[in-house]
Amino acid sequence: MKKVTINSVASYAGVSKKTVSRVLNNEPNVSDATREKVLKVFKELDYTPNPIARGLAQNRSFIIGCLYDNPSKSYITRVQTGALAACHELNYNLLIHPCELRGEELISNIEHLIQTSRLDGIVLTPPFSDFPELVSFLKSKKIPYARVASAVLEDDSISVRSNDEQGAFEITEHLIKLGHKEIAFIKGHPDHSATEQRFKGYRRALASNGIEFDERLVEEGNFSYHSGVDSARTILDLNPRPTAVFASNDYMAAAVLKLATQMQLRVPDDISIVGFDNAPIARHIWPGLTTIAQPVEEMTQQAVKQLITHISDPQESPYQVTLEAKLITRESTAAIK
Amino acid sequence: MKKVTINSVASYAGVSKKTVSRVLNNEPNVSDATREKVLKVFKELDYTPNPIARGLAQNRSFIIGCLYDNPSKSYITRVQTGALAACHELNYNLLIHPCELRGEELISNIEHLIQTSRLDGIVLTPPFSDFPELVSFLKSKKIPYARVASAVLEDDSISVRSNDEQGAFEITEHLIKLGHKEIAFIKGHPDHSATEQRFKGYRRALASNGIEFDERLVEEGNFSYHSGVDSARTILDLNPRPTAVFASNDYMAAAVLKLATQMQLRVPDDISIVGFDNAPIARHIWPGLTTIAQPVEEMTQQAVKQLITHISDPQESPYQVTLEAKLITRESTAAIK
DNA sequence: TGACATTATGACACCGGTGTCAGATTAGGA
DNA sequence: TCCTAATCTGACACCGGTGTCATAATGTCA
């Protein structure tokens, strides 16, 4: 099997390689006859252009990077799924790059990544999406980027998000409608902008239903299962015990559930628990968790698609989108008796 | 910021670009003085060679692909972590490629991937590691590949595995030592070679402890949580009910646990449950699952490292390694009363 | 010191595409 | 029918590295 290059195609079709290149890139100024002739040779020889040679000539790599630092494997996988879908569609490759937000030398780490891998652009997923140092670094270096699930909107950059505040509002209101008034809240990791958004939604729901906010019901978590255990311990020992717990994600909610079960509390009869994200664990435990589902794949896919479009044609003006989050009710919530 | 290329380095250092290239690749036949002079210029100009140009010249992409089709997000993430570690170390990039083993046109899908992305090699993770059609395709196309967690050993290819059969043996024996004799078994997905291996280990443990194998205690699963629910239903309805259940992975074990809990069975007092893989869920549920931990990251890292080494220097003879699996005991198993 | 082997270096083509520009061909209008 | 404008096409340089080979510099030994 010998290699099929643009030269072999050109000589086989009896045209110059530049003409072949024109056909390849759908450029104008090729007569229909020539175009078809070349296209036929493509098929006959089973020709695939070499992206590396192309990249060298155009100073592009056809690679975009995906940055994440997230304890939730399912979230990461969903992000990857969305990003890959967009990449496949637009003939790009995806380079995944897990790294720590608070790791030393984040910026130089990223700079090195961009330098060595010659990324054409970067997708930022939480918590990077709202990390100012990084965003302004990319902006100063003129590296195209897109932000997924960011809270802060900048109008000159690509950003696709879902409404965390609204989701938190809705799930809190769901509890309130079930008669709950003492609703504990476990916060997420302070580096994630979602943390503040979800907290805001919680407070807005309380306020709009005339329930006074009680600071003693709020615990600091960090989205990890482990932090959920710690927070749960404090909350479940409160006297009087709250009748419901809203954990800022499903892992922490699962931790609350585990601890409650260990303490012989029945969920949802004795206490209702809700999470956020609709992670697989939400339906893998008993009782299943009432939670908020976000369209993570969809968000990432749109963000990456936008990003690649922008790279290929910088005229394309970047835009912002907000997608819907959805309440999923399972067995972990019930009306107060 | 203007681009720093091999030409700028060469003229700045007062040598030819070929000499710069020599220094870059640690080739011999460069005098120490020249070498140092060039290295100093590297630093001064902050030069990073362009992998794309390099790739074009050497007909390499410095990219290896990672194939998977696995319902376990944590397994996928662990695989990626290991693969990335090896890639970073050896200046390679990783292209992840989730795809369905039984999807239509798997082979042509992979062929297309290799064609368009010009992969230098491929890592196969379960269930691809032992999929003969794919392996022989890669072999016929002379695409370097490495297999992770494969059961079948071929001596002319790279393969890093852990001993599933032995792990299953040990965890079964753990149950037997606790006094269990009626131990139900839920099989994994038939496409995964681990499925048969784990089953073998289970049977060997029974046999070596003089317990007769009872076919009625065996259910067909497919590694998914959902299949675990189905199998659990059958098993927990058996009369007499087995005193222990060995599910071939933790998701299915979690399903058994969920169903048992719903049926008011106490775990481990009424029934012991064990899983396999040591997935996060094993410690996120209550009671935590006794299971077998495999060094997935380590396996993948070694496989990828081997693979890249082999690509860079085909003389390097491929090798096979088997790493240790480890029993993790948690709260889901107890001595029979 | 001369003859020869060894080491160091650079000129140049090449990898497989794309950009520029000039020249050839065709179309359209007078 | 001729002239000009619009459309096609190809020659050639270039992207940033590496491979080959010739030549220059140095080392070795008689």
Side-chain angles (χ1 to χ4, degrees):
Chain A
M1 183 189 97
K2 61 172 177 295
K3 274 186 300 183
V4 181
T5 73
I6 198 170
N7 289 298
S8 35
V9 172
S11 67
Y12 195 90
V15 297
S16 75
K17 57 192 241 188
K18 179 65 221 190
T19 298
V20 176
S21 167
R22 286 196 182 91
V23 175
L24 217 48
N25 295 285
N26 272 311
E27 282 174 34
N29 298 340
V30 180
S31 73
D32 289 353
T34 313
R35 189 181 299 275
E36 266 179 46
K37 187 171 60 183
V38 173
L39 285 172
K40 214 167 73 189
V41 176
F42 281 177
K43 279 212 176 133
E44 252 171 85
L45 301 185
D46 190 24
Y47 169 67
T48 316
N50 185 331
I52 298 178
R54 211 179 234 208
L56 180 59
Q58 301 191 127
N59 197 25
R60 301 168 65 173
S61 62
F62 297 96
I63 295 177
I64 68 153
C66 178
L67 236 59
Y68 55 85
D69 174 13
N70 205 303
S72 166
K73 316 300 183 204
S74 73
Y75 193 87
I76 293 176
T77 317
R78 295 182 69 189
V79 159
Q80 292 178 351
T81 304
L84 281 173
C87 285
H88 283 158
E89 205 174 322
L90 300 168
N91 291 314
Y92 253 72
N93 284 331
L94 185 72
L95 203 61
I96 56 178
H97 193 78
C99 69
E100 288 173 35
L101 181 78
R102 296 294 179 190
E104 53 173 324
E105 312 289 357
L106 169 74
I107 298 291
S108 66
N109 174 341
I110 303 300
E111 185 164 21
H112 183 255
L113 171 72
I114 294 171
Q115 270 286 321
T116 54
S117 295
R118 309 277 158 156
L119 302 181
D120 289 346
I122 286 205
V123 207
L124 306 180
T125 70
F128 295 106
S129 320
D130 283 307
F131 193 57
E133 284 90 327
L134 180 58
V135 171
S136 60
F137 166 75
L138 294 175
K139 202 176 277 187
S140 73
K141 288 279 183 178
K142 301 209 190 311
I143 314 285
Y145 64 96
R147 300 180 305 144
V148 174
S150 58
V152 185
L153 291 179
E154 308 174 320
D155 26 278
D156 59 338
S157 80
I158 299 164
S159 165
V160 183
R161 58 194 289 266
S162 82
N163 199 328
D164 281 84
E165 198 272 348
Q166 178 64 18
F169 175 84
E170 283 172 22
I171 202 164
T172 308
E173 202 154 59
H174 166 72
L175 288 170
I176 295 172
K177 285 202 178 118
L178 290 171
H180 296 278
K181 288 191 162 56
E182 285 99 46
I183 304 171
F185 186 88
I186 305 179
K187 285 184 151 190
H189 194 293
D191 279 340
H192 286 246
S193 57
T195 293
E196 200 52 36
Q197 296 298 310
R198 292 174 191 182
F199 186 50
K200 269 192 192 161
Y202 161 75
R203 294 197 58 168
R204 179 161 68 90
L206 294 183
S208 84
N209 284 277
I211 299 174
E212 198 165 344
F213 168 68
D214 183 350
E215 205 171 307
R216 288 166 305 175
L217 296 180
V218 177
E219 281 295 313
E220 306 278 336
N222 65 12
F223 284 141
S224 75
Y225 182 83
H226 188 79
S227 77
V229 174
D230 293 343
S231 302
R233 218 183 306 276
T234 311
I235 289 172
L236 297 179
D237 277 347
L238 284 176
N239 195 347
R241 187 164 36 227
T243 63
V245 182
F246 176 2
S248 289
N249 76 352
D250 291 334
Y251 290 95
M252 296 194 297
V256 177
L257 175 59
K258 174 167 174 171
L259 209 69
T261 309
Q262 283 179 282
M263 290 170 72
Q264 317 285 341
L265 291 172
R266 289 164 310 155
V267 178
D269 302 328
D270 298 330
I271 190 166
S272 285
I273 299 174
V274 302
F276 210 105
D277 286 346
N278 195 27
I281 197 172
R283 59 174 200 286
H284 287 173
I285 55 182
W286 179 257
L289 290 173
T290 292
T291 189
I292 294 284
Q294 294 181 275
V296 178
E297 292 91 343
E298 175 74 17
M299 282 195 285
T300 317
Q301 183 171 0
Q302 285 203 22
V304 172
K305 218 163 149 177
Q306 262 282 304
L307 177 60
I308 298 177
T309 310
H310 174 75
I311 290 167
S312 309
D313 177 9
Q315 315 305 353
E316 286 287 331
S317 61
Y319 65 35
Q320 290 82 42
V321 193
T322 301
L323 303 175
E324 288 287 306
K326 209 171 84 207
L327 177 68
I328 310 272
T329 53
R330 292 204 182 86
E331 304 86 12
S332 70
T333 47
I336 206 161
K337 278 194 285 268
Chain B
M1 182 188 98
K2 62 174 179 293
K3 275 184 301 184
V4 181
T5 73
I6 197 169
N7 289 297
S8 36
V9 171
S11 66
Y12 195 91
V15 297
S16 74
K17 58 192 241 187
K18 179 67 221 190
T19 298
V20 175
S21 167
R22 285 195 182 94
V23 174
L24 217 47
N25 296 285
N26 272 312
E27 284 174 32
N29 298 339
V30 180
S31 74
D32 289 352
T34 312
R35 188 181 300 274
E36 266 179 46
K37 188 170 56 182
V38 173
L39 285 172
K40 214 166 74 189
V41 176
F42 282 177
K43 278 211 177 138
E44 250 169 87
L45 301 186
D46 191 24
Y47 169 67
T48 317
N50 185 332
I52 299 179
R54 214 180 229 206
L56 181 59
Q58 301 191 129
N59 196 26
R60 301 168 66 174
S61 61
F62 297 97
I63 294 177
I64 69 153
C66 178
L67 236 60
Y68 54 86
D69 174 12
N70 207 302
S72 166
K73 316 300 181 202
S74 72
Y75 193 87
I76 294 176
T77 316
R78 296 182 69 187
V79 160
Q80 292 178 351
T81 304
L84 282 172
C87 284
H88 282 158
E89 205 175 321
L90 300 168
N91 290 312
Y92 253 72
N93 283 331
L94 185 72
L95 203 61
I96 55 177
H97 193 78
C99 68
E100 288 174 35
L101 181 78
R102 295 295 178 189
E104 52 173 326
E105 312 290 357
L106 169 74
I107 299 292
S108 67
N109 174 342
I110 303 301
E111 184 164 23
H112 182 254
L113 170 73
I114 294 171
Q115 270 286 322
T116 54
S117 295
R118 310 279 156 153
L119 301 182
D120 288 346
I122 287 205
V123 206
L124 306 179
T125 69
F128 295 105
S129 320
D130 281 307
F131 193 58
E133 286 91 327
L134 180 57
V135 171
S136 61
F137 166 75
L138 294 176
K139 203 176 276 185
S140 74
K141 289 280 182 177
K142 301 207 189 312
I143 314 284
Y145 64 95
R147 300 181 305 145
V148 174
S150 58
V152 186
L153 291 179
E154 308 173 321
D155 26 278
D156 58 340
S157 79
I158 299 163
S159 165
V160 183
R161 59 193 288 269
S162 82
N163 199 329
D164 281 83
E165 198 271 348
Q166 177 66 18
F169 175 83
E170 283 173 20
I171 203 164
T172 308
E173 202 154 60
H174 167 72
L175 288 171
I176 294 171
K177 284 201 178 122
L178 290 171
H180 296 278
K181 288 189 163 58
E182 285 100 44
I183 303 172
F185 186 87
I186 305 179
K187 285 184 152 189
H189 195 292
D191 279 341
H192 286 247
S193 57
T195 292
E196 200 51 37
Q197 295 300 308
R198 291 174 192 181
F199 186 50
K200 268 191 192 159
Y202 160 75
R203 294 195 59 167
R204 178 160 67 90
L206 293 183
S208 85
N209 285 276
I211 299 176
E212 198 166 345
F213 168 67
D214 183 349
E215 205 172 308
R216 289 167 305 177
L217 295 181
V218 177
E219 282 293 312
E220 306 277 337
N222 65 14
F223 284 142
S224 75
Y225 182 83
H226 188 81
S227 77
V229 174
D230 293 342
S231 303
R233 219 183 304 277
T234 312
I235 289 172
L236 297 179
D237 277 348
L238 285 175
N239 195 346
R241 188 162 39 227
T243 62
V245 181
F246 175 3
S248 289
N249 77 351
D250 292 334
Y251 290 95
M252 297 195 296
V256 177
L257 175 59
K258 174 168 174 169
L259 208 69
T261 309
Q262 282 180 282
M263 290 171 72
Q264 316 286 340
L265 292 171
R266 289 164 308 156
V267 178
D269 301 329
D270 297 330
I271 190 165
S272 284
I273 300 174
V274 304
F276 210 104
D277 285 346
N278 195 25
I281 198 173
R283 59 173 200 286
H284 286 173
I285 54 184
W286 179 256
L289 291 172
T290 292
T291 189
I292 294 285
Q294 296 181 277
V296 178
E297 292 90 343
E298 174 75 17
M299 282 195 285
T300 317
Q301 182 171 2
Q302 285 203 22
V304 172
K305 218 163 150 177
Q306 262 282 305
L307 178 60
I308 299 177
T309 309
H310 173 75
I311 291 166
S312 309
D313 177 10
Q315 314 306 353
E316 285 287 330
S317 61
Y319 65 34
Q320 290 83 40
V321 193
T322 302
L323 303 175
E324 288 286 309
K326 209 172 85 209
L327 177 68
I328 311 273
T329 53
R330 293 205 180 86
E331 304 86 13
S332 70
T333 46
I336 206 160
K337 276 194 285 269

